[in-house]
């Protein structure tokens, strides 16, 4: 069986790994338009549920991801004029370039051909393949070539955002809010390496216009943001890698397959960064597609049935997360409405922006803001993380020792 993955992001590389593990005789090629080591974005975040899946599907790459990941153990909320508050929870973050390095190396170890700087300008020029996986991002050329069939739709979010990096290392996942003369502006930040953090800045279009950010070039815009958030960055710079300001584009597709072409990751769906699940969902797509085609397919009818199974499984799994992401992004669009709440109530509103928490979560939040109860909560969550890690494949625990 010949498989071509168009796009060398986490979805394409991980699917190539799993498909090769299932059947080493498969001829699998990954085509990536950028150079090796080049990627957009800074760090990615994930949680235990993805790690559990990764260890179940390929413990080798999972152990490498775990060992390279930055472990953080709570959320911090800093809002101008309010005391700092904290939210319970823990997670993991990893530089996107490091994740791609791990997955690319694993794919090549298994015999996958990874071709970089392979710009797909004409989808019809793809090499012959039994299965073509379109994992070339939200602006997928393969999807758009058959746009009417796939029924792709794009919904543009209201707020403006910019994906930045900084050498300032945040202690943990941090939300920071500042009031300016033009209105509120805020960031989502998290460490992903010893000397780097992701720093996503977001604001309403009115604030963006009022601050003149649309008129500034990259250097001037970064300098403006550095001044606004100087109390959070300890004088360290910001870098936008030339991407500039964006509006989030929520991509959906009515159908995910067309003949021997199937959509995966952002080519099929995007999920707002406010819930930090884009990489997780892309890699879980790869798992589901690998399962669907595990036994191969004798003809086009068998392939169609396998791809339909994959699509159904993933759409069912995605539905609650997409609802949560929509509620989360809508909360940030209304953020100024919550700005005058007292610190503890404000951070709880931020935490419960999906509107799903039972009453006891509010009581837990209010009672764990002091040093002693907060420390006890962190210890409890740390023990839970370690216990969950202990249940993963024993031979890889040497690479899975928690650091936080």
């Amino acid at each position: 069986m010949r498989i071509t993955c168009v796009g060398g992001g986490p979805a394409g590389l991980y699917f190539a790994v799993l498909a090769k593990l299932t059947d080493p005789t498969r001829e699998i090629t990954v085509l990536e338009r950028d150079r090796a080591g080049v990627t957009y974005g800074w760090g990615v975040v994930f949680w235990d549920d993805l790690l559990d899946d990764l260890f179940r599907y390929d413990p080798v790459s999972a152990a490498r991801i775990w060992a390279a990941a930055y472990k953080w153990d709570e959320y911090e909320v800093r809002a101008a004029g309010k005391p700092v508050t904290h939210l319970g929870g823990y997670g993991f973050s990893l530089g996107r370039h490091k994740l791609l390095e791990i997955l690319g190396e694993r794919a090549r170890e298994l015999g996958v051909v990874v071709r970089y700087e392979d710009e797909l300008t004409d989808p019809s020029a793809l090499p012959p393949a039994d299965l073509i996986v379109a994992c070339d991002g939200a602006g997928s050329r393969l999807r758009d070539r058959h746009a009417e069939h796939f029924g792709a739709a794009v919904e543009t979010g209201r707020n403006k955002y910019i994906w930045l990096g900084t050498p300032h290392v945040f202690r943990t996942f941090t939300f920071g809010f500042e009031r300016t003369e033009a209105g509120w502006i805020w960031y989502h930040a998290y460490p992903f390496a010893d000397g780097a953090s992701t720093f996503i800045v977001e604001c309403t279009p009115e604030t963006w216009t009022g601050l003149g950010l649309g008129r500034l070039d990259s250097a001037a815009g970064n300098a403006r943001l550095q001044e606004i958030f100087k109390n959070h960055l300890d004088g360290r710079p910001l870098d936008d890698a030339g991407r500039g300001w964006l509006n989030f584009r929520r991509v959906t597709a009515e159908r995910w397959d067309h003949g021997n072409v199937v959509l995966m990751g952002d080519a099929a769906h995007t999920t707002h960064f406010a819930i930090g699940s884009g990489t997780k969902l892309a890699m879980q797509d790869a798992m589901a597609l690998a399962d669907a085609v595990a036994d191969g397919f004798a003809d086009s009818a068998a392939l169609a049935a396998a791809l339909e199974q994959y699509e159904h499984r993933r759409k069912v799994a995605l539905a609650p997360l997409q609802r949560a992401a929509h509620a989360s992004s809508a909360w940030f669009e209304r953020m100024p409405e919550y700005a005058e709440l007292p610190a503890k109530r404000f951070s709880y509103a931020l935490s419960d922006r999906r509107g799903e928490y039972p009453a006891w979560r509010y009581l837990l939040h209010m009672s764990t803001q002091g040093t002693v109860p907060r420390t006890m909560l962190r210890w409890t969550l740390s023990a839970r993380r370690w216990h969950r890690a202990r249940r993963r494949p024993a031979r890889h625990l040497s690479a899975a020792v928690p650091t936080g």
Side-chain angles (χ1 to χ4, degrees), residues 47-106:
W47 290 267
D48 267 331
D49 57 346
L50 178 62
L51 273 173
D52 289 343
D53 287 343
L54 294 175
F55 272 97
R56 185 165 60 252
Y57 277 84
D58 177 29
V60 174
S61 59
R64 295 173 186 174
I65 290 170
W66 166 274
Y70 198 104
K71 287 82 174 175
W72 39 270
D73 60 3
E74 65 181 349
Y75 298 82
E76 189 167 287
V77 182
R78 307 176 186 176
K82 305 179 193 294
V84 174
T85 54
H86 300 86
L87 306 174
Y90 65 88
F92 311 86
S93 46
L94 184 63
R96 182 176 166 85
H97 68 285
K98 183 62 177 179
L99 176 60
L100 296 180
E101 177 186 306
I102 290 170
L103 296 179
E105 179 182 358
R106 179 63 171 147

Side-chain angles (χ1 to χ4, degrees), residues 248-324:
F248 182 76
R249 298 170 70 245
R250 180 174 179 265
V251 175
T252 57
E254 293 180 9
R255 289 169 293 280
W256 289 15
D257 66 280
H258 182 47
N260 68 336
V261 177
V262 63
L263 307 180
M264 186 168 64
D266 283 354
H269 55 82
T270 59
T271 306
H272 195 270
F273 58 83
I275 66 167
S277 295
T279 299
K280 162 189 163 178
L281 296 178
M283 297 182 78
Q284 288 176 334
D285 282 357
M287 298 169 193
L289 183 58
D291 286 345
V293 300
D295 296 328
F297 39 87
D299 52 32
S300 59
L303 174 61
L307 299 183
E308 182 179 353
Q309 175 190 7
Y310 153 71
E311 178 181 337
H312 175 73
R313 172 180 166 182
R314 290 306 296 149
K315 282 186 173 179
V316 169
L318 281 166
L321 280 169
Q322 288 176 326
R323 288 194 295 270

Side-chain angles (χ1 to χ4, degrees), residues 317-374:
L318 281 166
L321 280 169
Q322 288 176 326
R323 288 194 295 270
H326 190 269
S328 184
S329 61
W331 188 92
F332 281 104
E333 291 177 355
R334 302 190 309 271
M335 179 270 154
E337 299 175 15
Y338 302 93
E340 303 307 321
L341 290 174
K344 294 180 184 180
R345 288 180 57 195
F346 175 78
S347 57
Y348 182 77
L350 171 64
S351 175
D352 189 33
R353 56 190 180 275
R354 308 177 192 180
E356 300 171 342
Y357 285 170
W360 65 263
R361 290 292 295 263
Y362 177 76
L363 298 175
L364 177 66
H365 171 74
M366 299 297 282
S367 65
T368 53
Q369 295 305 308
T371 301
V372 173
R374 180 176 142 233

